[in-house]
Amino acid sequence: MTELETLQKWLDESRRGVFFGGAGVSTESGVPDFRSVDGLYNQSYDYPPETIISHSFFLRDPEAFYRFYKEKMLYLDARPNTAHKRLTQLEAANRLAAVVTQNIDGLHQAAGSKTVYELHGSVHRNYCMKCHKSFDAAYVKRAQGVPRCDVCGGLVKPDVVLYEEPLDGDVMEKAVAAIAGADLLIVGGTSLAVYPAAGLINYYRGHRLVLINKTPTPYDSRADLILTGKIGALLEQIRV
């Protein structure tokens, strides 16, 4: 039985599967991967990206933050790809119980997935730090320079987890519960190098841990099944 046939069998038998994904799921939609060879972390800016997208830098120099954020992190024209769509179909067929994602682009929801836990927040939610009014991503994108609240003039912040900020406790709790209760865990498009997100795999208690990635990960030795390649092309071959 090939790796793909094994994955098909496990998905056919699954009732509480969970998909845990990273940047590699969105790169096929044209959203850049921060940590790939040609990703943002290997380009040159006045400051390292880790510095620019930190909480303290955001407060200190919101203008420089938003220049980088709008150009490199706000991809509102991106559309769901084959992987997003297949995961939505698997959820609708009661094979997947949840999607846990490190991505902030909202493409899983755009594809139709219902239960999505966004570990690092979403570019589509923004709020005034002063009066807490909510704004969509288009408002941020349209703003000249730093987006300000149209009610009180306060600084508008994306609801994304910046460096130096903790992950949302409620989202983490639900993601942990989903993974702990899963009968199949598929991890795709992530190098599993970003913590605490990568550590969520440790909550899985089953014996059907599937890793799908273009390159090796630190968890390969623990996987029950490894598929190497583009996640969209592989999932496209799965029957729902």
Side-chain angles (χ1 to χ4, degrees), residues 12-39:
D12 290 343
E13 295 170 353
S14 173
R15 294 297 177 270
R16 299 186 313 281
V18 170
F19 178 82
F20 175 50
V25 180
S26 292
T27 51
E28 292 169 46
S29 291
V31 179
D33 177 357
F34 274 25
R35 290 170 179 79
S36 67
V37 173
D38 56 350

Side-chain angles (χ1 to χ4, degrees), residues 2 11 14 34 46 59 85 93 110 115 141-142 148 150 160 164 169-170 182 189 199 219-220 234 238-240:
T2 66
L11 275 166
S14 173
F34 274 25
D46 289 342
L59 295 178
K85 293 171 184 175
T115 304
K141 188 81 169 178
R142 283 195 311 268
R148 296 279 177 180
D150 58 2
V160 299
E164 304 167 352
D170 183 55
Y219 284 80
D220 283 9
L234 289 167
I238 292 296
R239 300 183 312 277
V240 179

Side-chain angles (χ1 to χ4, degrees), residues 126-135 149 151-152 154-156:
N126 305 272
Y127 63 93
C128 171
M129 296 183 73
K130 193 172 179 182
C131 74
H132 304 292
K133 180 180 176 179
S134 296
F135 297 92
C149 178
V151 173
C152 73
L155 176 62
V156 173

Side-chain angles (χ1 to χ4, degrees), residues 13-230:
E13 295 170 353
S14 173
R15 294 297 177 270
R16 299 186 313 281
V18 170
F19 178 82
F20 175 50
V25 180
S26 292
T27 51
E28 292 169 46
S29 291
V31 179
D33 177 357
F34 274 25
R35 290 170 179 79
S36 67
V37 173
D38 56 350
L40 296 184
Y41 280 75
N42 290 281
Q43 299 175 21
S44 297
Y45 297 94
D46 289 342
Y47 301 92
E50 295 97 330
T51 299
I52 298 173
I53 53 176
S54 68
H55 180 80
S56 54
F57 188 92
F58 170 75
L59 295 178
R60 185 171 71 249
D61 194 345
E63 196 165 316
F65 170 89
Y66 268 113
R67 272 200 307 273
F68 179 89
Y69 178 79
K70 289 181 187 181
E71 183 184 346
K72 298 297 181 184
M73 298 178 69
L74 206 52
Y75 283 78
L76 301 186
D77 293 332
R79 294 293 175 263
N81 60 52
T82 305
H84 297 108
K85 293 171 184 175
R86 184 64 86 234
L87 292 169
T88 296
Q89 293 164 350
L90 288 166
E91 181 187 43
N94 296 316
R95 299 290 181 265
L96 285 186
V99 168
V100 179
T101 181
Q102 299 175 70
N103 298 331
I104 59 175
D105 48 47
L107 291 177
H108 285 292
Q109 292 93 328
S113 288
K114 305 297 183 191
T115 304
V116 181
Y117 301 124
E118 297 172 305
L119 300 178
H120 298 150
S122 171
V123 299
H124 297 284
R125 297 188 301 269
N126 305 272
Y127 63 93
C128 171
M129 296 183 73
K130 193 172 179 182
C131 74
H132 304 292
K133 180 180 176 179
S134 296
F135 297 92
D136 61 15
Y139 183 90
V140 170
K141 188 81 169 178
R142 283 195 311 268
Q144 295 295 314
V146 178
R148 296 279 177 180
C149 178
D150 58 2
V151 173
C152 73
L155 176 62
V156 173
K157 182 186 182 297
D159 188 14
V160 299
V161 179
L162 303 177
Y163 283 97
E164 304 167 352
E165 294 180 341
L167 300 189
D168 182 277
D170 183 55
V171 173
M172 280 289 283
E173 193 174 308
K174 290 175 178 174
V176 165
I179 289 172
D183 56 12
L184 167 66
L185 178 60
I186 303 173
V187 181
T190 173
S191 61
L192 292 173
V194 182
Y195 286 84
L200 288 177
I201 292 182
N202 296 322
Y203 290 97
Y204 179 57
R205 295 289 179 261
H207 301 286
R208 291 184 170 184
L209 172 60
V210 182
L211 298 186
I212 305 175
N213 204 41
K214 290 193 288 187
T215 56
T217 79
Y219 284 80
D220 283 9
S221 62
R222 293 175 49 182
D224 301 296
L225 181 66
I226 296 175
L227 289 86
T228 303
K230 288 188 174 183

